[in-house]
Amino acid sequence: MYATVQKAVESGNLQNFLETNITTGQKASLLWAIDAGRFVQTIGLFILGFWLSKKNVFTSSEYNTRFWVKILIVSSLLFGLLYPLKVNSLDSTPNEAVKASIGTVLNMWQKLAFTFVIVSSFVISYYASTFVNCILVKLKIYGKMSLTNYVSQSIIGAIVYFPIGLHLSPYLGYTASLLVGGIIFLIQLYCCQLWSKHFSQGPLEKIWHKATRIRQK
């Protein structure tokens, strides 16, 4: 299925590109997410984030600071243990099916541990450093419109890199792509700031809110 999608991308035909990505591309992405454990992992991360928010651990307090310091220490130790364990397990397991299963499980737990390293470091820095806080507080609006930004990034990226648009992928290396990404981010941030002056939610956030809101009778 990915080969089919790749051919559609390389064709440069917009209609073929859209039809293949909406049909075969979505099926391939979903099956990959299930096979790689990402489908269950996404649900788990959503519930975990919701629970942490309900526990009110993202506000500034002495208790929460100690909580995130503990999380940083524990998650760092777990990542340090899980990463070499994953590598050694894959190297010492001859059976490919078993190797794939072990690799998926350890990879998910290893990345979860590293996720908490990043999150705890971010929260601690945000409240401990005035300089970091002043910079990051300006990005809050970007996070509030994360769904809109995520989808628009894909659209902009397709136009910049794929044959349906500018087809710059053969010509842009890592450094140039980083520069392009930075420019796209700044443009999106500016658009978010303009949008927030007139609306309380991003366009896709508003649609998602209305589509998923549960009204109690």
Side-chain angles (χ1 to χ4, degrees):
M1 286 184 287
Y2 276 114
T4 302
V5 174
Q6 184 66 26
K7 288 181 180 179
V9 171
E10 294 174 351
S11 70
N13 185 294
L14 180 60
Q15 181 178 349
N16 184 30
F17 174 82
L18 293 175
E19 289 178 352
T20 304
N21 274 279
I22 292 172
T23 54
T24 307
Q26 295 305 307
K27 184 179 179 182
S29 180
L30 176 61
L31 292 177
W32 171 83
I34 294 173
D35 182 59
R38 186 66 61 84
F39 186 77
V40 191
Q41 188 183 46
T42 302
I43 298 173
L45 287 172
F46 176 84
I47 296 173
L48 184 59
F50 184 80
W51 178 76
L52 288 171
S53 178
K54 287 295 183 181
K55 298 292 287 185
N56 205 32
V57 296
F58 293 107
T59 57
S60 179
S61 70
E62 187 177 343
Y63 172 82
N64 286 341
T65 299
R66 290 199 302 269
F67 170 81
W68 286 113
V69 169
K70 292 177 182 177
I71 291 294
L72 176 59
I73 295 172
V74 173
S75 57
S76 298
L77 291 173
L78 286 175
F79 176 76
L81 292 172
L82 288 169
Y83 183 78
L85 180 62
K86 183 193 76 169
V87 175
N88 293 333
S89 299
L90 293 179
D91 291 340
S92 60
T93 305
N95 188 292
E96 291 299 324
V98 175
K99 182 183 292 187
S101 297
I102 293 175
T104 298
V105 172
L106 292 178
N107 189 51
M108 288 174 65
W109 283 106
Q110 165 224 311
K111 288 183 177 178
L112 179 63
F114 192 65
T115 297
F116 273 108
V117 171
I118 296 173
V119 172
S120 56
S121 300
F122 181 90
V123 175
I124 293 169
S125 301
Y126 183 79
Y127 289 117
S129 172
T130 305
F131 175 73
V132 174
N133 184 283
C134 291
I135 295 176
L136 295 181
V137 74
K138 298 177 182 179
L139 304 181
K140 289 171 67 174
I141 187 60
Y142 192 89
K144 289 182 178 180
M145 294 177 58
S146 56
L147 179 60
T148 298
N149 289 323
Y150 182 80
V151 174
S152 61
Q153 278 178 8
S154 299
I155 296 172
I156 296 170
I159 294 172
V160 172
Y161 288 101
F162 290 171
I164 60 167
L166 301 175
H167 194 203
L168 295 179
S169 58
Y171 312 104
L172 296 180
Y174 293 118
T175 304
S177 293
L178 179 63
L179 180 61
V180 170
I183 293 172
I184 293 172
F185 167 75
L186 292 175
I187 293 174
Q188 285 184 310
L189 180 61
Y190 179 71
C191 291
C192 288
Q193 292 170 344
L194 290 180
W195 184 273
S196 66
K197 292 179 180 179
H198 305 283
F199 305 97
S200 60
Q201 291 178 303
L204 294 186
E205 283 74 15
K206 185 69 174 179
I207 295 173
W208 180 262
H209 179 79
K210 287 187 175 182
T212 58
R213 184 175 176 83
I214 300 175
R215 292 181 175 85
Q216 296 180 346
K217 294 182 180 179

